[in-house]
Amino acid sequence: MTRISDAAPTRVTEHGPPPAARPPWRTAGEWWPAAVAAAFTLLQLALVRPGMGLGWDETVYVSQVSTHAPAAFFSAPRARGITLLVAPVASWSSSTALLRVYLAVLSGLGLYWALRAWRGLFSVRVLAAGGALFASLWITLFYGPQAMPNYWVAVGASATVAFFLHARADRTRRGALWGVAAGAALMAWMRPTDAVWVTLPLLALLLFVRPRRHLRLLLALVTGLAAGATEWIVEAYVDYGGVGARLSAGSRIQGGLGLHNAVTDQLRSLGGRALCRPCTGAIPSAPVIAWWFVLPLLAAAALVIAVRARRTAATLLPLACAVTAAVPYLFLIAYAAPRFLLPAYALLAIPVADALARLVTAPAGRLRAVTVTLVAVGLAGHLAVQFAVLERAVSRTTADHRVWGRTAADLRRLGIRPPCLVTGAQSVPVAFDAGCASAHTGGHDANTTGPELARTANRMPVVLLTTHLVHPPPYARNWQPHSLTGGYAYLAPAAVQPAERHHP
């Protein structure tokens, strides 16, 4: 008599072992990625200091929903995803510390979601190691609790590629399709142009490699991108005359997109500079930038290992998306900020962790002992450098933000009260602290003119901030200068309280 097995039938998938052959996530050690995400949140709270005030760009995003001050000028390259993300706190509280704690917790949850998306593609320990590599970068820790979009593009990019691999390997997994749509929507919600660059390899694969087999996956990806970018597109037609016009305006603000070599600029920014524009000064020392050169070598090693193991797709696809994500910020703009490359780092992290795991688990022998020692020493040095750079960046940023706060306090002592308007150097964060509106007559955020400022000064206090005494512009020639903590302020005559007038 033939024995009939009561085991459930397995399905052979296109790009990996059948689902039944994969170990259950919970029994395989689910707590590893969760522990990495929790540690990431705790390190943010401990090292980035919730009391660090808002930066310039953060102020722009937060002011759109805050009741503390009028909304700052919102320029063409920005998207409102991060504004909506902070709205549950910023819409009713002006506490920066509370906002930082909220974002730190949320960023930890986002990292955990992205790592879970990769389950079944790599071992749980590789996922945890990849998460730790990404989370321990000073850039990731620094921007995780900030009201900035780049970290969230990175999380969305990692999750999108992982869910894409699952959906392409097993077309019956509807959850993976939803994951692709959610990750793509998150990226486009935060930065639509970044979302397009990240997904270029995915779109190319779907359009040119057996497209009929994966129509639902293509639909999920395109729908996610469209859903996330809807608000940005609508705003483009309402305020700029169309998507093309908004992209053109964004290009002008970013200095004109075209062929530029920003690789050296990115190197200069690795020493802890939040924005390198113009990017001058010396390149940081070799220990600070060494990891940046080791990263592509490890990525290449990961690809070789994957090809030999005949599981190329799970490694090649995130590497390809990392390259396209980095291209615009290495070769198409003429300045740099380390946060621009966060999506690329997130996509590289798990393949690189896989390569490191293979190196340290090679067959026993002298070579393995040497490799383990080199990897351990290299990782220890890497972590030491990352935390040292993070401490410098946090200290410098906190000091700058405190100066802005004291400048706002000086304005209040001069009798500047809402409704009021501040223009000039660092006017956006100072105005927000003081509860005033901000405006500019030139530069990337120009949104008014000198005559308009003069007319505004007839109905409310207007302040021109400068870092040193200068010949004021025509509209402010009869305004009175006052010494402040961070420089000087020219006050329109109607804004000056007679009992508080004092000249530098």
Side-chain angles (χ1 to χ4, degrees):
M1 179 181 293
T2 303
R3 183 177 181 181
I4 300 174
S5 172
D6 59 356
T10 59
R11 299 188 306 272
V12 178
T13 59
E14 185 178 347
H15 295 287
R22 294 170 180 150
W25 177 250
R26 195 171 293 278
T27 60
E30 182 179 2
W31 66 273
W32 280 98
V36 169
F40 176 52
T41 293
L42 293 175
L43 283 173
Q44 291 176 67
L45 297 175
L47 301 178
V48 187
R49 302 166 194 164
M52 185 177 70
L54 295 176
W56 180 297
D57 291 295
E58 287 186 287
T59 300
V60 173
Y61 290 120
V62 171
S63 69
Q64 307 303 309
V65 292
S66 175
T67 58
H68 179 69
F73 175 68
F74 203 83
S75 61
R78 302 186 189 275
R80 298 186 184 271
I82 195 66
T83 293
L84 298 177
L85 190 72
V86 303
V89 171
S91 60
W92 60 270
S93 174
S94 60
S95 171
T96 302
L98 179 61
L99 183 62
R100 295 268 185 252
V101 172
Y102 164 74
L103 288 172
V105 173
L106 209 59
S107 63
L109 293 174
L111 178 63
Y112 180 58
W113 173 64
L115 293 177
R116 276 186 62 93
W118 287 92
R119 62 182 180 174
L121 297 168
F122 293 90
S123 72
V124 175
R125 292 189 178 184
V126 167
L127 301 187
L133 286 174
F134 175 64
S136 62
L137 291 176
W138 77 262
I139 309 161
T140 312
L141 284 165
F142 187 67
Y143 284 104
Q146 293 197 42
M148 297 291 283
N150 310 87
Y151 171 80
W152 296 101
V153 175
V155 167
S158 180
T160 299
V161 174
F163 285 123
F164 182 94
L165 287 165
H166 284 303
R168 196 163 185 271
D170 184 357
R171 289 180 291 165
T172 65
R173 296 184 64 171
R174 293 186 179 182
L177 293 175
W178 284 106
V180 169
L186 177 61
M187 288 191 291
W189 194 38
M190 294 294 168
R191 290 187 69 88
T193 52
D194 282 12
V196 172
W197 281 101
V198 168
T199 56
L200 279 178
L202 309 183
L203 292 167
L205 188 61
L206 291 174
L207 291 173
F208 299 111
V209 179
R210 292 187 287 182
R212 292 183 180 180
R213 288 178 57 86
H214 302 287
L215 287 177
R216 290 200 303 170
L217 180 52
L218 177 62
L219 180 63
L221 180 59
V222 173
T223 300
L225 292 173
T230 295
E231 188 280 330
W232 187 91
I233 294 171
V234 171
E235 191 175 54
Y237 281 99
V238 172
D239 294 338
Y240 297 93
V243 172
R246 184 167 191 175
L247 291 173
S248 179
S251 175
R252 289 194 303 272
I253 289 173
Q254 293 176 302
L257 298 181
L259 288 178
H260 301 283
N261 183 4
V263 175
T264 304
D265 295 343
Q266 284 290 347
L267 281 174
R268 290 192 176 99
S269 73
L270 293 178
R273 299 174 66 173
L275 182 63
C276 200
R277 186 181 190 181
C279 207
T280 57
I283 293 176
S285 61
V288 174
I289 63 174
W291 69 273
W292 213 64
F293 293 96
V294 173
L295 195 60
L297 297 178
L298 289 173
L303 184 57
V304 171
I305 291 170
V307 170
R308 289 180 176 177
R310 296 184 179 180
R311 49 174 184 78
T312 307
T315 296
L316 178 59
L317 206 55
L319 295 183
C321 292
V323 170
T324 57
V327 163
Y329 296 114
L330 293 177
F331 304 111
L332 297 181
I333 63 174
Y335 65 99
R339 58 187 168 86
F340 291 162
L341 295 181
L342 274 173
Y345 300 147
L347 290 163
L348 291 172
I350 290 176
V352 165
D354 184 51
L356 290 173
R358 297 282 174 163
L359 289 174
V360 300
T361 57
R366 290 184 177 180
L367 182 59
R368 177 178 175 179
V370 172
T371 301
V372 170
T373 301
L374 288 176
V375 170
V377 171
L379 288 176
H382 171 69
L383 291 176
V385 167
Q386 295 303 308
F387 290 131
V389 174
L390 176 65
E391 174 59 29
R392 290 197 299 269
V394 170
S395 297
R396 181 172 58 251
T397 303
T398 302
D400 291 341
H401 294 180
R402 285 175 178 168
V403 170
W404 298 342
R406 288 195 292 268
T407 301
D410 290 342
L411 293 181
R412 286 191 290 270
R413 283 193 292 271
L414 288 172
I416 304 301
R417 298 285 188 276
C420 48
L421 186 144
V422 181
T423 187
Q426 308 303 336
S427 59
V428 169
V430 172
F432 186 77
D433 277 348
C436 301
S438 59
H440 292 87
T441 59
H444 309 301
D445 292 333
N447 62 338
T448 191
T449 63
E452 180 62 29
L453 284 178
R455 288 191 293 270
T456 303
N458 293 326
R459 65 178 187 272
M460 72 170 67
V462 178
V463 180
L464 169 64
L465 297 178
T466 67
T467 55
H468 55 278
L469 289 174
V470 296
H471 293 292
Y475 67 84
R477 282 179 182 170
N478 64 334
W479 295 9
Q480 296 187 7
H482 294 260
S483 179
L484 305 178
T485 300
Y488 298 89
Y490 288 85
L491 273 62
V496 182
Q497 301 298 315
E500 297 176 343
R501 293 184 182 181
H502 56 91
H503 297 277

